[in-house]
């Protein structure tokens, strides 16, 4: 505001004029007030102007707020109209033609925007007004739509899976899930799910737009899928019919692994384990159709891919009937049943090693996924019928299956696990990686636990009717039924192709010679020592190796087996594998007196021995009867002496249930051959659940691995241990204690004429006839105990046919005497300063 010069000058001039006319100087005082009046006027004007501007600013702000509210309301109304015209989920199959598919929301021009006014200034108010106009012209979240047709969804995580599942229920839309590096079909709209709040859409003409994706609940998607169905699946579908309708290969175009499995009433339905999987869980009660689904899926895969691109491993724990006929396909690398638990455990443990082999092969080829090298690394599909029975039989397979489910996608391994109650049987570590769920008839509780709300209506499903739930959709399908002609047609399709290569080595042979074992191991273990007693099978490492016994490290070894299991041959093979010369081995005879004496000689260091071998040690111990603990003590003493010299001990026994007294902790190393039954198998220490009643001779377990023992070892020859022959001293008297003195005296008289004296013992001992054999009954000698004791200190005492009690009562012998073979004329001899000895008196053979 300018200063009011006139308002100041005019009063001053008037005051001067009045003062001149009146001649009063007092009038001039009023002239001084004029500047004050002017200043007050200026200040008041400024105050009024500020108030005016404030009121105008408030009015402008109120009008802008009203305009902003009007914009928001207009956008809400516009969004409501758009939502009504383009719902997130279709309400039914009708009216879909010509209507685009809604992906999400994105900024777009508003249909209710006002005209843009001419704004030439750059003040704050003018800029605010410009922003409001631009805000009104652009709607922040109008539906982002694409034409119906092929849609390619690319992205990882739950956001991409949820969006793909929602779009799959749109009529007229075909959804394809793409990997990060997978090519985009030329006729498809690409939808890149970048984050849960960001999506990029690229149309067929290359135009791109970004927006916010919209998701729906799984249950709502399932309801929309059911409401959009035009017809119920047929009651019966033949495999050949759906595959004729689906084309020659029975597969969808593109890089996926889709295979036709049935019909939903409108069209053939495909299942793609490569894109939607990688694994599938199949649930259903007996007779609901889950076994038929496994057959259909296996045949569809074999129809689609060559044996060079696909391997099928079939596991049937219902006896093997499920996959009848499919074993003849060139893609099938094995059929595992509960009838042969050893082969089942061997093959399934080999799957983990197969994963490691595939990992190494990917590194060698310089690729990240088997899809990049399908001719070099075939896909392996493992189909299991009655997974619950499999895990019950082999609890140790929980970990391998969890490993397979976690690492199978990039390695090309797919699991299809069928069971009656999947939610209760399959552990979370496996179920979490099974993105495909196939549900047949199930009780309401089991169905809801398996598939949630969608599974509650499965209790009344007819046979063969399945609800297939993937990350993209849920569909009710009638599974196609394959017959023998269909299997034969697929086999004929690939008749000119080589069969799929088995990843694991062939099973152990039913019999193997030492030469065959050396030849096989020389190829498997070049440059290694071939001193082996058999061939070991290690399925967990996909390799076979030589079975070796290190007597210093492994300790004494026992071969346990029932009759006909080949334990004698095994014992001989192990002994031969040590490479020790025959004279350095000692084979214990089954004759108790001979074995007793031999063990005593070894323990005393009188008989050199580096390897002690005892065949049927349990029979020898049984023959010892009450002397068994003493015999085993002598065995232990002999073994300790041998091991101190760097040697070892081997033995064989019968079934573990009858050999407990022999085994104990005496043999830390064990070769376990065929047992009597499953209980005897477990008692021996063999792996539980792997009892094989049909195991061939020589087939067993060594170090928890299956072994086939060579069948042509050198024969075991027991050592000959005869009691030393006894002749009476030529001039000294001998006291003979005999239970049957007359017969003994007669026999000795024939052998030693004119030296036998029969009757009561002489009193005192000095009265004994020199060089005579004084024969008397133990009771008679007891009566002359003092004389006998005195003779014991100075002369020989021969006990014929006596009992250990005779030695204790007559001669105060506390040690257990060695067993005798009376039929060979054996007797006990006691000489001064020595213990009880076993001797042979040839003249006593007839007694």
């Amino acid at each position: 505001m300018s200063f009011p010069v006139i308002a100041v000058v005019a009063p001053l001039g008037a005051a001067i004029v009045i003062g001149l006319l009146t001649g009063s100087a007092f009038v001039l005082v009023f002239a001084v007030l004029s500047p004050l009046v002017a200043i007050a006027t200026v200040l008041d004007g400024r105050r009024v102007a500020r108030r005016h501007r404030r009121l105008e600013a408030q009015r402008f702000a109120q009008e802008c707020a009203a305009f902003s509210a009007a914009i928001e309301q207009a956008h809400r109304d516009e969004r409501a109209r758009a939502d009504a015209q383009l719902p997130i989920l279709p309400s039914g199959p009708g009216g879909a033609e010509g209507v685009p598919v809604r992906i999400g929301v994105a900024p777009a021009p508003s249909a209710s925007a006002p005209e843009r006014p001419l704004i030439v200034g750059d003040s704050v108010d003018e800029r605010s007004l410009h922003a409001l106009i631009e805000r009104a012209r652009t709607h922040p979240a109008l539906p982002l739509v694409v034409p119906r047709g092929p849609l390619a969804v690319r992205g990882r995580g739950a956001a991409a899976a949820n969006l793909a599942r929602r779009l799959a229920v749109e009529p007229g839309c075909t959804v394809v899930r793409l990997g990060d590096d997978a090519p985009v079909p030329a006729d498809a709209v690409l939808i890149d799910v970048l984050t849960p709040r960001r999506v990029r859409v690229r149309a067929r003409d290359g135009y791109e737009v970004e927006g916010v994706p919209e998701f729906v609940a799984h249950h709502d998607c399932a309801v929309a899928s059911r409401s959009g169905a035009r017809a119920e699946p047929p009651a019966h579908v033949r495999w050949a019919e759906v595959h004729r309708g689906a084309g020659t290969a029975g597969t969808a175009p593109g890089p996926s692994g889709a295979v036709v499995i049935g019909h939903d009433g409108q069209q053939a339905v495909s299942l793609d384990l490569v894109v939607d999987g990688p694994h599938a869980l199949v649930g259903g009660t007996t007779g609901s159709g889950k076994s038929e689904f496994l057959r259909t899926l296996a045949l569809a895969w074999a129809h689609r891919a060559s044996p060079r691109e696909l391997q099928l491993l079939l596991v049937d724990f219902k006896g093997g009937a499920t996959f009848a006929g499919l074993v003849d396909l060139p893609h099938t690398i094995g059929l595992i049943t509960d009838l042969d638990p050893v082969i089942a455990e061997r093959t399934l443990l080999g799957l983990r090693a197969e994963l490691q082999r595939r990992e190494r092969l990917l590194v060698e080829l310089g690729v990240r996924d088997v899809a990049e090298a399908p001719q070099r690394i075939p896909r392996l599909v493992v189909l299991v019928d009655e997974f619950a029975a499999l895990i019950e039989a082999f609890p140790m397979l929980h970990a391998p299956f969890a490993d397979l489910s976690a690492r199978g996608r990039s390695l090309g391994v797919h699991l299809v696990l069928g069971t009656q109650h999947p939610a209760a049987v399959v552990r979370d570590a496996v179920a979490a990686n099974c993105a495909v769920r196939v549900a047949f008839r199930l009780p309401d509780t089991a169905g809801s636990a398996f598939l949630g709300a969608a599974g509650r209506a499965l209790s009344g499903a007819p046979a063969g009717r399945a609800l297939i739930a993937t990350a993209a959709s849920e569909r009710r399908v009638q599974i196609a039924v394959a017959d023998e002609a269909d299997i034969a047609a697929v086999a004929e399709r690939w008749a000119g192709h080589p069969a799929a290569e088995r990843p694991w080595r062939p099973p152990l042979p039913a019999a193997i010679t030492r030469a065959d074992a050396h030849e096989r191991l020389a190829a498997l273990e070049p440059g290694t020592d071939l001193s082996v007693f058999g061939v070991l099978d290690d399925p967990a490492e996909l390799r076979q190796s030589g079975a070796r016994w290190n007597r210093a490290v492994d300790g004494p070894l026992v071969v346990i087996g029932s009759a006909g299991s080949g334990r004698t041959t095994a014992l001989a093979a192990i002994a031969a594998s040590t490479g020790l010369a025959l004279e350095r081995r000692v084979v214990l005879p089954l004759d108790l007196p001979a074995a007793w004496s031999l063990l005593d000689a070894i323990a005393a260091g009188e008989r050199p021995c580096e390897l002690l071998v005892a065949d049927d040690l349990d029979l020898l111990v049984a023959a010892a009867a009450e002397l068994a603990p003493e015999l085993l003590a002598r065995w232990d003493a002999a073994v300790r002496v041998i091991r101190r010299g760097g040697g070892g001990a081997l033995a064989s026994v019968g079934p573990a249930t009858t050999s407990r007294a022999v085994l104990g902790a005496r043999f830390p190393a064990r070769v376990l051959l065929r047992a009597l039954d499953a209980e005897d198998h477990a008692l021996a220490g063999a792996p539980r659940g792997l009892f094989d009643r049909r195991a061939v001779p020589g087939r067993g377990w060594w170090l928890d691995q299956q072994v086939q023992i060579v069948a042509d070892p050198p024969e075991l020859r027991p050592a000959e241990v005869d009691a030393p022959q006894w002749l009476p001293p030529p001039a000294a008297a001998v006291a003979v204690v005999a239970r049957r003195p007359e017969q003994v005296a007669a026999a000795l008289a024939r052998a030693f004429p004119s030296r036998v004296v029969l009757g009561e013992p002489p009193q005192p001992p000095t009265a004994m006839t020199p060089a005579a054999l004084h024969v008397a009954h133990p009771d008679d000698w007891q009566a002359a105990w003092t004389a006998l004791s005195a003779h014991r200190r100075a002369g020989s005492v021969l006990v014929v046919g006596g009992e250990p009690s005779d030695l204790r009562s007559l001669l105060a012998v506390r040690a257990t005497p060695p067993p005798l073979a009376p039929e060979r004329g054996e007797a006990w001899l006691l000489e001064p300063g020595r213990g009880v000895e076993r001797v042979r008196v040839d003249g006593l053979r007839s007694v």
Side-chain angles (χ1 to χ4, degrees), residues 623-650:
E626 68 274 6
L627 295 179
E630 290 282 350
L631 177 66
L632 290 175
R634 281 165 168 74
W635 167 273
D636 296 338
V639 170
R640 284 194 297 271
V641 170
I642 294 171
R643 295 204 68 195
R644 280 198 296 266
L650 293 172

Side-chain angles (χ1 to χ4, degrees), residues 748-784:
L748 291 176
R750 288 191 295 270
F752 310 106
S754 70
R755 295 192 61 178
V756 176
V757 176
L758 177 64
E760 296 182 358
Q763 297 282 352
T766 53
M768 295 180 69
T769 306
L773 303 178
H774 291 267
V775 181
H777 192 275
D779 294 341
D780 297 331
W781 284 110
Q782 184 68 37

Side-chain angles (χ1 to χ4, degrees), residues 57 212 238 275 330 477 483 518 693 762 773-774 784:
V212 179
R238 294 190 67 250
V275 173
V477 181
D483 55 24
H518 286 185
R693 192 181 304 277
L773 303 178
H774 291 267

